[in-house]
Amino acid sequence: MNTPIYLDYMSTTPMDKRVVNEVVKYMDVDGCFGNPSSSTHRFGIQASAAVEKARKNVAKLINAEPFEVFFTSGATESDNLAIRGAALFHQRRGKHLITSEIEHKAVLDVFRQLEREGFEVTYLKPDENGLVSASSLSEAIRDDTILVSLMYVNNEIGTIQDVEGYAAITSASGVLLHVDASQAAGKLPIDLKKIPIDLLSLTAHKIYGPKGVGALYIKQKPKVRIQPVIFGGGQEQGVRPGTLPTHQIVGFGEACKLALNEMGEEQDRLVKLRNKLWLQLKNIEGIRLNGDLENRIGNNLNVCFEGLNGESLIFALKDIAVSSGSACTSSTVEPSYVLRAMGVPDLLADTAIRISIGRFTTEEEVDYCAQYIQNTVKWLQEIGLPKG
Ligand SMILES: *Cc1c(COP(=O)(O)O)cnc(C)c1O
């Protein structure tokens, strides 16, 4: 194989061609390009109908009502709107907030900002398998706690968190619960009629939809109140104003519909592929699996290699598009804060790679990748570069 293999589906996914086919119907002069807010003419009314159809499909994926779905530009915006919006609206009841050390930056950086604005934040620690326990949440809740934000599936190590456990605690204590479900939606069944979650973030580009569109679920019965973060033309009930991008939203809706219909079969296939990959990798000398193997989303592996040099490993693996565990913040390379929180030493964390497969991954690709990683690691071990 001489074309690079894409194994980075947790970073983003290609759009499904069936999604693209729908998206292009809502763009040009021959399509349905009207402003969905223009209710005085057919162009607008048709666009509005397309948006509402998409809203139903998004709602169905999480078993919510369409009027509980508010379109945004993606999960980063949904997280900002949920956390900041809820904190600002409810701050008279208290200024204590709870999240965890392994959240996505789109969550952590909002909390950092709220700290600068006078809120107090407790960061829950994961165990060595990357799981944040419901009991640690229970212990952290105080009389002045107003909001908890914890993710459904971790984007680096793929761990499935105890969201049902969290929701039982927050609903019993009268504290709002926000869940970032970017990596869970379309992969795990999510039933918001069963789990009492108040706010839930979604994004289209992790489920074969377009980039730049997502949604925030806001429970309406009983109504969860949040303050808008931006102000403008009153769209989305004023919670998130701005002209609705019809084509993006249609793509998101179509992606949700496909995900719901194909989730069971797709996950079965991906788990089999992932397990096949792990079976071939697990005997490599010095390999360590990061994150719980049981409570783990079907498409993810995250591994470290004891004794290897992180930079050389990533460089040597250039024919397969995997994600390096470390984050490049401007000029410096930092080990993953998620692995750090789990107690993985920095030198080892530097060698972390995330392998995430998806809808278009084939068995041949998985076998090639397993062989390629085996050979590369063996070669690096033989030439024996110094660590660090
Ligand atoms: C990708 C991702 C985000 C950011 O989503 P965007 O739509 O790219 O803004 C937030 N949280 C998690 C867990 C993610 O995986």
Side-chain angles (χ1 to χ4, degrees), residues 199-212:
L199 301 151
L200 181 126
S201 300
L202 299 169
T203 186
H205 77 99
K206 305 276 172 72
I207 54 166
Y208 313 97
K211 294 172 183 55

Side-chain angles (χ1 to χ4, degrees), residues 93-216:
R93 293 203 289 119
K95 294 192 103 177
H96 181 237
L97 315 166
I98 300 174
T99 186
S100 87
E101 290 181 349
I102 61 165
E103 299 302 306
H104 191 275
K105 285 285 181 192
V107 166
L108 286 176
D109 286 357
V110 184
F111 281 107
R112 293 286 181 226
Q113 177 57 27
L114 288 169
E115 281 178 313
R116 286 190 282 271
E117 293 174 27
F119 288 86
E120 191 190 333
V121 182
T122 298
Y123 297 88
L124 303 179
K125 286 190 188 308
D127 65 12
E128 71 278 8
N129 292 326
L131 300 171
V132 174
S133 72
S135 60
S136 71
L137 170 61
S138 183
E139 283 161 25
I141 289 188
R142 315 190 312 213
D143 286 345
D144 60 342
T145 309
I146 53 169
L147 171 71
V148 171
S149 176
L150 292 167
M151 70 204 318
Y152 216 125
V153 169
N154 182 273
N155 50 293
E156 285 190 30
I157 50 175
T159 44
I160 302 169
Q161 304 292 331
D162 183 12
V163 169
E164 264 188 81
Y166 307 152
I169 293 164
T170 50
S171 60
S173 352
V175 173
L176 290 175
L177 175 62
H178 166 251
V179 172
D180 182 337
S182 301
Q183 298 287 357
K187 298 176 186 140
L188 298 177
I190 299 179
D191 188 344
L192 294 181
K193 298 255 194 289
K194 284 220 183 94
I195 311 181
I197 293 171
D198 300 292
L199 301 151
L200 181 126
S201 300
L202 299 169
T203 186
H205 77 99
K206 305 276 172 72
I207 54 166
Y208 313 97
K211 294 172 183 55
V213 64
L216 179 63

Side-chain angles (χ1 to χ4, degrees), residues 207-245:
I207 54 166
Y208 313 97
K211 294 172 183 55
V213 64
L216 179 63
Y217 157 85
I218 308 177
K219 189 196 264 314
Q220 295 298 308
K221 279 179 195 161
K223 189 183 171 86
V224 170
R225 309 280 307 270
I226 64 169
Q227 185 169 307
V229 171
I230 56 169
F231 301 87
Q235 293 91 342
E236 300 296 84
Q237 302 176 49
V239 171
R240 201 285 189 178
T243 302
L244 292 165

